[in-house]
């Protein structure tokens, strides 16, 4: 990888803090970054990697800050970006929000973290739970002369400390699927995919070994379980937490791991299967006598009747010059948000198979000028508990620990909206 230095810049490009890891790139080179970025932005040719002479700037933006890594070599760019995003994640764990103010208020801790996160341009300890064992918020109170490196850093299992004890041993498993959907004005599905994550909350004593079993199609085919009775899913783009033994997964599709303590994301996956829209939206817009417009929106739950979508929000775009809103809904409430030019129709509880209507009336002072750029899509937000659209299932969770204690695994399924949009005619 070999990043020469890492900088954190404010929104104007002024360095707030930096760490020189190799010394082969002059620190003054960062002064060229912001003019280069602004020039590219004006040209409409902005890229995540900018070069000036032999120096390459790999950068990301987070709220009002730029994180920039410099290098002379043909570095592994994806690893550098992974490191920069991981750095943001660690800082957010420490300071809640990563902003200019939090950097200025915590200079000492930021320097310590930059020292531990990377050494001579190579990533080191990037797990915030481990870093918090020896880089504390009260860094000035640490006693000198004592070794501050916990055994976890030099351990084979660097993400879990030894000697963890709980009175009640439990594991909570959350299977969360986000549905990304784009439907055109004719009702045809243009984009449809499921992005899933499996998150764990672990309260287990000692050094337990966990084995997770899913209804994975490849596993079913390997073990001869595939058939009409056993519903399976084909997982794509699977990404695991570092604790998972990848060689074991490659050999026999077993997800085997020693978990970190507390919350973490075990894995993520994607399914590019055709998804039937869970909440279907139809809208009709009528304009009357150049002075008012009426929008009728119909929402239908196209999922199982025993399931219920919670916190449904349907964002319906309206003309930018609309005024005098009046609403009538068969369920829920509607609210006009003029700064976003939308009506938000909120439905607290939306059972499957149900159909609801919303009518909105607006005054239009200048209906003459038609919107040339076209109407934005209708956006939908929702969450359906106890339901997965892909049909993924946790078949078992085995917990093995040398002391032989009994532990309880709890599983929860949630389907929610991702980027869910329906275009209107």
């Amino acid at each position: 990888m070999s990043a020469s230095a890492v900088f954190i810049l404010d929104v104007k490009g002024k360095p707030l803090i930096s760490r020189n890891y190799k010394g082969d790139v002059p620190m003054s080179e960062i002064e060229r970054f912001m003019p280069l970025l602004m020039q590219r932005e004006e040209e409409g040719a902005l890229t995540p990697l900018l070069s000036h002479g032999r120096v390459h700037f790999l950068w990301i933006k987070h709220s009002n800050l730029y994180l920039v890594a410099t290098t002379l070599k043909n570095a592994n760019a994806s690893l550098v970006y992974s490191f920069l995003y991981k750095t943001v994640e660690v800082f957010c764990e420490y300071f809640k929000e990563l902003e200019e103010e939090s950097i200025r208020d915590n200079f000492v801790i930021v320097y310590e973290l930059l020292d531990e996160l990377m050494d001579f341009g190579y990533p080191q300890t990037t797990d915030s739970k481990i870093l918090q064992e020896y880089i504390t918020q009260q860094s000035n109170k640490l006693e000198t002369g004592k070794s501050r490196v916990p055994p976890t850093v030099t351990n084979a299992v660097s993400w879990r400390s030894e000697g963890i004890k709980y009175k009640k041993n439990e594991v909570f498993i959350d299977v969360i699927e986000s549905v990304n959907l784009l439907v055109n004005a004719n009702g045809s599905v243009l984009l449809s995919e499921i992005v899933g994550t499996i998150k764990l909350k672990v309260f287990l004593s000692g050094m337990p070994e966990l084995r997770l079993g899913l209804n994975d199609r490849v596993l079913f085919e390997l073990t001869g379980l595939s058939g009409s009775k056993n519903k399976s899913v084909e997982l794509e783009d699977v990404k695991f937490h570092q604790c998972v033994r990848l060689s074991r997964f490659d050999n026999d599709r077993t997800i085997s791991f020693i978990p970190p303590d507390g919350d973490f994301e075990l894995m993520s996956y994607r399914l590019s299967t055709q998804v039937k829209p869970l909440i279907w939206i139809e809208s009709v817009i009528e304009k009357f006598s150049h002075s008012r417009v009426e929008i009728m929106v119909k929402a239908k739950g196209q999922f199982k009747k025993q399931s219920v979508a919670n916190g449904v929000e349907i964002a319906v775009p309206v003309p930018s010059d609309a005024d005098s809103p009046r609403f009538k809904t068969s369920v829920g409430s509607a609210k006009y948000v003029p700064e976003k030019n939308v009506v938000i129709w909120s439905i607290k509880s939306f059972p499957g198979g149900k159909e609801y209507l919303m009518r909105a009336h607006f005054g239009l002072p200048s209906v003459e000028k038609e919107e040339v750029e076209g109407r934005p899509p209708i956006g939908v937000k929702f969450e359906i508990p106890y339901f997965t659209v892909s049909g993924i299932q946790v078949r078992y969770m085995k917990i093995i620990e040398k002391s032989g204690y009994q532990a309880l695994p709890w599983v929860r399924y949630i389907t929610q909206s991702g980027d869910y949009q329906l275009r209107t005619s």
Side-chain angles (χ1 to χ4, degrees):
M1 163 179 161
S2 240
S4 300
V6 170
F7 297 84
I8 299 175
L9 313 178
D10 67 13
V11 74
K12 293 177 182 175
K14 185 183 171 187
L16 295 172
I17 201 163
S18 60
R19 182 69 174 85
N20 191 354
Y21 293 105
K22 297 185 74 177
D24 57 344
V25 175
M27 297 297 274
S28 59
E29 283 287 332
I30 197 65
E31 292 168 15
R32 304 181 190 278
F33 169 73
M34 194 48 91
L36 195 60
L37 182 131
M38 291 172 77
Q39 182 194 330
R40 290 289 178 84
E41 207 164 18
E42 282 171 17
E43 293 168 358
L46 191 60
T47 57
L49 189 147
L50 303 171
S51 299
H52 182 271
R54 293 174 59 234
V55 180
H56 308 292
F57 302 100
L58 296 92
W59 64 279
I60 64 169
K61 190 176 182 186
H62 180 84
S63 60
N64 59 351
L65 298 173
Y66 290 95
L67 279 82
V68 186
T70 57
T71 180
L72 285 176
K73 297 186 176 179
N74 183 15
N76 181 340
S78 60
L79 194 55
V80 176
Y81 289 117
S82 291
F83 172 77
L84 292 175
Y85 281 112
K86 193 72 186 173
T87 302
V88 168
E89 201 179 297
V90 169
F91 286 165
C92 288
E93 286 278 335
Y94 268 82
F95 316 131
K96 298 285 188 288
E97 295 289 332
L98 178 56
E99 292 175 355
E100 185 178 335
E101 196 179 334
S102 55
I103 296 292
R104 290 189 187 279
D105 290 348
N106 297 282
F107 264 150
V108 175
I109 295 170
V110 172
Y111 269 122
E112 284 197 57
L113 287 170
L114 289 173
D115 266 348
E116 295 299 333
L117 287 163
M118 183 173 269
D119 187 30
F120 200 66
Y122 294 92
Q124 300 297 311
T125 308
T126 58
D127 192 304
S128 57
K129 285 193 177 74
I130 303 305
L131 288 164
Q132 281 167 352
E133 285 186 26
Y134 60 104
I135 297 178
T136 66
Q137 298 283 27
Q138 297 81 26
S139 53
N140 56 332
K141 294 181 185 174
L142 289 170
E143 294 178 42
T144 53
K146 287 188 179 181
S147 171
R148 291 189 285 131
V149 180
T152 40
V153 173
T154 52
N155 225 357
V157 184
S158 63
W159 53 87
R160 187 179 178 88
S161 307
E162 290 184 10
I164 296 170
K165 282 186 180 152
Y166 287 101
K167 282 184 180 177
K168 194 176 183 183
N169 292 289
E170 294 178 304
V171 181
F172 296 90
I173 306 162
D174 278 350
V175 181
I176 302 165
E177 292 192 335
S178 297
V179 180
N180 295 334
L181 186 84
L182 180 61
V183 177
N184 71 6
N186 302 326
S188 305
V189 176
L190 301 177
L191 169 79
S192 164
E193 68 171 2
I194 302 161
V195 178
T197 54
I198 296 180
K199 294 182 178 180
L200 268 64
K201 193 177 272 192
V202 176
F203 303 110
L204 296 174
S205 308
M207 277 284 180
E209 165 96 23
L210 273 61
R211 284 179 204 153
L212 178 71
L214 303 171
N215 56 337
D216 174 14
R217 186 166 297 166
V218 179
L219 173 67
F220 278 22
E221 284 167 3
L222 281 171
T223 53
L225 284 170
S226 55
S228 57
K229 287 181 183 177
N230 298 310
K231 194 191 174 189
S232 59
V233 292
E234 193 167 346
L235 305 175
E236 301 167 35
D237 295 342
V238 180
K239 192 172 87 177
F240 288 111
H241 186 274
Q242 68 186 92
C243 66
V244 175
R245 295 186 177 91
L246 295 180
S247 55
R248 183 88 189 264
F249 181 76
D250 288 339
N251 284 341
D252 57 13
R253 304 289 283 193
T254 300
I255 302 169
S256 169
F257 57 98
I258 294 170
D261 189 44
D263 298 335
F264 73 103
E265 186 179 297
L266 176 69
M267 64 181 280
S268 62
Y269 59 89
R270 188 175 62 82
L271 292 162
S272 53
T273 51
Q274 195 76 7
V275 181
K276 185 182 180 184
L278 297 171
I279 293 179
W280 183 256
I281 306 291
E282 288 175 22
S283 74
V284 177
I285 297 173
E286 284 187 74
K287 291 179 179 173
F288 300 95
S289 64
H290 299 320
S291 62
R292 64 188 179 92
V293 65
E294 184 179 302
I295 303 169
M296 191 188 81
V297 179
K298 184 166 78 173
K300 186 180 180 184
Q302 299 192 138
F303 46 93
K304 293 175 183 174
K305 286 184 179 178
Q306 57 265 42
S307 295
V308 176
N310 297 329
V312 177
E313 282 190 1
I314 300 162
V316 184
V318 297
S320 55
D321 55 352
D323 60 18
S324 315
R326 285 186 297 120
F327 305 110
K328 192 178 179 184
T329 60
S330 61
V331 72
S333 61
K335 183 177 73 173
Y336 177 42
V337 186
E339 61 270 22
K340 293 182 180 175
N341 298 322
V342 293
V343 170
I344 303 287
W345 179 17
S346 303
I347 304 168
K348 200 173 178 181
S349 181
F350 196 137
K354 291 285 183 183
E355 206 171 277
Y356 298 121
L357 282 173
M358 187 270 287
R359 286 177 187 271
H361 300 261
F362 287 93
L364 274 187
S366 54
V367 80
E368 299 291 339
K369 61 176 186 66
E370 282 292 322
E371 290 178 38
V372 182
E373 72 277 3
R375 200 172 291 112
I378 293 173
V380 186
K381 287 183 184 176
F382 59 84
E383 188 175 278
I384 308 172
Y386 320 113
F387 171 77
T388 57
V389 70
S390 69
I392 194 168
Q393 286 181 331
V394 174
R395 291 170 54 237
Y396 62 82
M397 167 66 88
K398 290 180 182 170
I399 301 161
I400 305 149
E401 215 279 328
K402 60 185 178 185
S403 63
Y405 60 70
Q406 292 295 306
L408 295 167
W410 304 90
V411 186
R412 180 172 63 166
Y413 299 97
I414 299 168
T415 292
Q416 61 190 22
S417 55
D419 188 10
Y420 195 102
Q421 297 183 337
L422 299 98
R423 298 197 178 277
T424 54
S425 54

